[in-house]
Amino acid sequence: MSSMIDKITAEDRRAAADVLDDLQAVLNAADVKLPSLGIDWRSAKATGVILIDLGAARPDVIERLVVVLRRGMRP
């Protein structure tokens, strides 16, 4: 049986999973691998707030991510 918080956050959890898939696709296309990328389901269960956990990554990976973000911000 689902808890009340599961019922209340069902749409938010689906949206988080979709946006995580989109983020992973973009990062993969840019050859950026965030090894701990995922959804923090524990905090969602406790608070009802869905968080995307970017996790830990080496500085060289974050540097690559910064390059991708800067490139995307150019007019």
Side-chain angles (χ1 to χ4, degrees):
M1 181 168 171
S2 292
S3 71
M4 182 60 81
I5 202 160
D6 287 341
K7 291 176 184 174
I8 293 170
T9 62
E11 187 171 328
D12 290 339
R13 288 184 286 117
R14 280 191 295 276
D18 289 345
V19 77
L20 178 63
D21 288 344
D22 290 345
L23 177 59
Q24 285 177 319
V26 168
L27 293 175
N28 286 339
D31 198 31
V32 175
K33 307 288 187 259
L34 295 178
S36 302
L37 185 62
I39 298 174
D40 183 353
W41 296 117
R42 285 186 312 149
S43 70
K45 285 271 191 196
T47 66
V49 177
I50 314 300
L51 300 174
I52 303 293
D53 188 354
L54 300 178
R58 295 184 325 264
D60 62 307
V61 173
I62 299 303
E63 183 176 26
R64 177 74 179 120
L65 179 57
V66 168
V67 167
V68 170
L69 292 171
R70 283 186 178 143
R71 194 178 308 143
M73 291 177 62
R74 290 187 187 141

